[in-house]
């Protein structure tokens, strides 16, 4: 499905590659696209967000941007900040992400009214999010492959901040795991959380969780049939 391009919208060059057996058809349906933006992700600059969201607005009926804001202060404390410094650092990181998103929406113009931008914390009290999160946590208890990929992502996250040869503490590992777990529902069943018919999770690369969940798994946790994944990379 394609959508009429609003006069105020300039479409930039974007390479979009579906990942997973159902993702191509879900892109073609064009119901919904989700972009996740984290504080540690420098790829989605204001300019690239403008380009990626402009692409999505032409191809999807609805677009959401969710930015990570959970466990940031806890992570800063786990990395050695005092409580007050941790809160300040987390707040600064979140403000920076919000500025990027807001700047992109301003650059898009009138078409940006079709984009909903919210923090991850806006969903934590919602029953649908809690239901998907509960299923994910239950699976992490029995799905050894899923748990191994989650744990490896947590260690990579920490290694980038601790430096080479510095082993993470137990508190640091648990906080990094919680950070990743909070985002996991949007890999599994965004349609249930946001109330859309189908959704495509858009990112600039295939994350390890995406590679596992949207690959050809014979057993273990799988995304909903209405959940897709796409690599959306800006050409500039």
């Amino acid at each position: 499905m394609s959508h009429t391009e609003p006069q105020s919208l300039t479409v930039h060059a974007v390479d979009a590659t579906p990942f997973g057996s159902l993702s191509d058809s879900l892109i073609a349906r064009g119901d919904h696209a989700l972009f996740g933006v984290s504080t540690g992700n420098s790829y989605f600059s204001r300019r690239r967000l403008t380009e990626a969201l402009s692409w999505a607005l032409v191809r999807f009926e609805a677009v959401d941007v969710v930015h990570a804001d959970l466990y940031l202060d806890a992570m800063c404390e786990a990395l050695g900040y005092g409580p007050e410094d941790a809160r300040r650092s987390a707040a600064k990181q979140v403000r920076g992400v919000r500025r990027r998103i807001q700047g992109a929406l301003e650059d898009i113009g009138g078409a940006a009214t079709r984009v909903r931008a919210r923090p991850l914390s806006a969903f934590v009290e919602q029953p649908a999010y809690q239901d998907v999160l509960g299923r994910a946590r239950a699976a992490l208890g029995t799905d050894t492959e899923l748990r191994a990929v989650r744990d490896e992502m947590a260690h990579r996250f920490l290694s980038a901040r601790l430096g080479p040869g510095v082993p993470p503490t137990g508190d640091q590992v648990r906080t990094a795991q919680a950070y990743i777990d909070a985002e996991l529902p949007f890999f599994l069943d965004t349609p249930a959380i946001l109330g859309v018919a189908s959704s495509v999770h858009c990112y600039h690369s295939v994350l390890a969780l995406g590679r596992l969940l949207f690959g050809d798994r014979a057993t273990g946790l799988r995304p909903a049939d209405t959940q897709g994944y796409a690599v959306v990379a800006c050409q500039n």
Side-chain angles (χ1 to χ4, degrees):
M1 179 185 296
S2 62
H3 305 283
T4 302
E5 180 180 339
Q7 190 172 6
S8 61
L9 180 61
T10 300
V11 180
H12 298 266
V14 170
D15 290 322
T17 306
F19 186 81
S21 59
L22 301 176
S23 297
D24 194 19
S25 63
L26 295 177
I27 293 175
R29 280 179 61 167
D31 292 321
H32 178 265
L34 173 76
F35 288 81
V37 184
S38 65
T39 57
N41 176 12
S42 61
Y43 182 84
F44 279 129
S45 62
R46 173 173 175 165
R47 176 179 58 81
R48 284 177 173 155
L49 273 172
T50 301
E51 294 175 356
L53 293 175
S54 296
W55 166 84
L57 282 165
V58 172
R59 287 158 180 80
F60 295 89
E61 290 284 356
V63 180
D64 273 271
V65 181
V66 176
H67 66 272
D69 67 334
L70 296 176
Y71 303 107
L72 293 177
D73 52 349
M75 179 56 66
C76 289
E77 282 199 58
L79 293 173
Y81 288 75
E84 187 60 34
D85 287 339
R87 285 192 291 271
R88 280 197 294 264
S89 177
K92 181 179 179 181
Q93 293 177 58
V94 172
R95 285 196 301 271
V97 170
R98 287 175 176 167
R99 279 197 299 270
R100 277 189 274 156
I101 296 170
Q102 184 58 39
L105 298 180
E106 291 172 0
D107 293 343
I108 289 169
T113 57
R114 289 176 42 222
V115 180
R116 294 180 297 185
R118 287 172 285 180
L120 185 55
S121 59
F123 300 95
V124 295
E125 300 298 328
Q126 293 187 6
Y129 172 86
Q130 284 296 326
D131 178 66
V132 182
L133 179 61
R135 286 190 274 128
R137 285 174 171 165
L140 284 164
T142 58
D143 189 333
T144 56
E145 191 175 23
L146 175 68
R147 188 166 61 248
V149 169
R150 189 277 310 270
D151 291 349
E152 176 61 23
M153 288 182 67
H155 277 87
R156 285 180 179 271
F157 179 87
L158 291 168
S159 296
R161 287 154 179 79
L162 295 173
V166 181
T169 67
D171 284 344
Q172 289 169 340
V173 170
R174 285 187 288 273
T175 303
Q177 290 170 337
Y179 180 91
I180 296 168
D181 291 354
E183 297 183 348
L184 187 50
F186 287 100
F187 287 84
L188 296 171
D189 200 350
T190 300
I193 298 169
L194 296 182
V196 293
S198 68
S199 181
V200 178
H201 189 114
C202 299
Y203 201 65
H204 69 278
S205 64
V206 181
L207 292 168
L209 275 174
R211 189 171 300 280
L212 173 70
L213 294 171
F214 292 90
D216 296 324
R217 301 192 81 195
T219 60
L221 186 66
R222 294 279 299 166
D225 289 343
T226 52
Q227 178 68 64
Y229 191 102
V231 176
V232 177
C234 302
Q235 295 180 3
N236 299 314

